[in-house]
Amino acid sequence: MKAIVVSDQAAGTAGMKLVERPERQAAINDVIVQIHASGFVPTELTSTWTDRLGRDRTPSIPGHELAGVVTALGYGTTGLSVGQRVFGVADWYRDGTLAEYITMEARNLAPLPGDVDFTVGASLPISGLTAWQGLFQHGRLQAGQSVLAHGAAGAVGSMVTQLASEVGAYVIGTGRAADRQKALDFGANEFVDLDNDSLEDVGRVDLVFDVIGGDIGKRSAHLIRAGGTLVSIVGSVEVWPVNGLAIDFVVESDRAQLSEIVQRVRDGRLTANIGNVSTLNDAIAAFNSTHRHAGKTVVRVHQ
Ligand SMILES: NC(=O)c1ccc[n+]([C@@H]2O[C@H](COP(=O)([O-])OP(=O)(O)OC[C@H]3O[C@@H](n4cnc5c(N)ncnc54)[C@H](OP(=O)(O)O)[C@@H]3O)[C@@H](O)[C@H]2O)c1
């Protein structure tokens, strides 16, 4: 099968190569999926180099989001069937989704309804689940609360903005000046241009969803009112809110949550945020383009 591999961590996306790789056998509880579309953000390259024991596994296939069709089941695999449309998040420590096929655990996949395009399906799993888990599991967001949604026009931030709006939260989106209208269109009640506006002017919020970190993350901690929560997806929290909670987490695949997310896309409550769409042959050039594409890059692997 065709696959993109990496073997040089320092080179990042510039070190990607399109090669031929053998397909793997499905182990217990695995499925093999023919990948129709794969979602990718370059920051995922932090976690593709080793297995769970820290052993080098390069050249490895990066990419963690996919939508496709199940082509084989491993011994004892239940819950999915051959020919079924699926989408989900692949393991951080196994070969990933920038390939024609993937072998992965069935539990990390959910059914993809027939009326949802594979490109849309591949754009949702990491962004949608991260937003869902950060807002509702870790942040315990409730109607009437306020949320500072950083990077509100980005892949995760746009999901945060839409899901928080849907439950009746007041959403203050942030990002670059050029992203203002996009963030407002996703449902933000107001927008802070981080390069030109004063972040401190937003006053106090119940929840900060940090996708940026650094100085922005530290300053945001001071904006959280007593009892509020700072949720970070970009590493350990350096400054904690006074009288509040802070949590950093890595998204996990969850079949029930994936089904909630895709149902919202079907009934129009949630809009996918897709930036550039390329083929597997063109993907390396797309990842290394200097042109800015807000939203998730999706690779159409199988037409
Ligand atoms: N822990 C987890 O489970 C998890 C899950 C998903 C993602 N992540 C991480 O979360 C981060 C965001 O992911 P994503 O997929 O949402 O990326 P993304 O689509 O690039 O979104 C990030 C958004 O924030 C904006 N932004 C970043 N720095 C900014 C700054 N200093 N000022 C103004 N705007 C800024 C970006 O604009 P520009 O493009 O112009 O910079 C972009 O619109 C990545 O580091 C990713 O690895 C973690």
Side-chain angles (χ1 to χ4, degrees):
M1 65 169 181
K2 271 196 224 167
I4 289 174
V5 295
V6 286
S7 40
D8 177 0
Q9 191 160 1
T13 53
M16 287 177 157
K17 290 191 177 73
L18 184 62
V19 298
E20 276 295 322
R21 284 281 291 261
E23 279 173 49
R24 289 207 319 228
Q25 298 297 308
I28 289 174
N29 293 340
D30 273 349
V31 290
I32 295 179
V33 180
Q34 181 180 38
I35 297 175
H36 284 240
S38 168
F40 183 77
V41 286
T43 46
E44 289 175 37
L45 284 184
T46 50
S47 59
T48 195
W49 309 98
T50 64
D51 66 14
R52 279 180 195 278
L53 291 175
R55 293 175 300 206
D56 179 81
R57 63 179 187 83
T58 57
S60 54
I61 303 172
H64 299 291
E65 284 178 302
L66 77 151
V69 172
V70 175
T71 57
L73 304 179
Y75 175 65
T77 302
T78 60
L80 297 175
S81 52
V82 171
Q84 188 164 7
R85 300 172 98 245
V86 289
F87 74 128
V89 182
D91 196 296
W92 309 115
Y93 294 98
R94 294 174 79 176
D95 274 340
T97 61
L98 293 177
E100 289 181 294
Y101 292 87
I102 186 169
T103 307
M104 61 185 286
E105 287 181 85
R107 64 179 172 173
N108 292 330
L109 293 162
L112 180 69
D115 56 358
V116 179
D117 184 77
F118 287 114
T119 301
V120 172
S123 76
L124 295 172
I126 290 184
S127 317
L129 288 170
T130 304
W132 187 282
Q133 290 164 19
L135 289 173
F136 305 133
Q137 269 178 247
H138 306 302
R140 296 170 189 272
L141 181 69
Q142 292 178 9
Q145 292 188 321
S146 52
V147 176
L148 183 62
H150 282 308
V156 177
S158 59
M159 296 289 138
V160 170
T161 300
Q162 293 179 84
L163 291 171
S165 293
E166 188 204 332
V167 298
Y170 185 86
V171 182
I172 304 159
T174 82
R176 314 269 178 207
D179 292 331
R180 177 183 297 274
Q181 194 54 49
K182 195 169 174 190
L184 296 174
D185 290 345
F186 280 124
N189 298 89
E190 51 182 286
F191 182 81
V192 177
D193 163 2
L194 290 173
D195 293 326
N196 298 299
D197 300 336
S198 168
L199 180 60
E200 283 66 27
D201 286 351
V202 304
R204 294 280 180 270
V205 295
D206 297 294
L207 193 154
V208 170
F209 202 119
D210 186 18
V211 307
I212 298 175
D215 187 48
I216 300 289
K218 288 182 199 161
R219 286 164 58 200
S220 301
H222 301 299
L223 305 176
I224 294 173
R225 61 169 62 100
T229 307
L230 171 59
V231 174
S232 170
I233 60 165
V234 283
S236 304
V237 173
E238 292 177 72
V239 175
W240 275 56
V242 177
N243 297 323
L245 297 172
I247 183 157
D248 66 273
F249 76 102
V250 174
V251 63
E252 291 182 90
S253 200
D254 184 295
R255 189 176 287 171
Q257 291 172 0
L258 283 169
S259 298
E260 291 277 0
I261 290 162
V262 80
Q263 184 52 38
R264 281 165 172 72
V265 171
R266 294 177 80 198
D267 63 27
R269 283 177 288 168
L270 195 62
T271 302
N273 184 9
I274 297 166
N276 189 22
V277 180
S278 76
T279 63
L280 193 56
N281 286 339
D282 297 335
I284 296 174
F287 299 148
N288 287 287
S289 159
T290 50
H291 186 72
R292 182 174 185 256
H293 291 283
K296 178 79 65 174
T297 296
V298 175
V299 179
R300 277 305 296 226
V301 178
H302 184 78
Q303 301 302 319

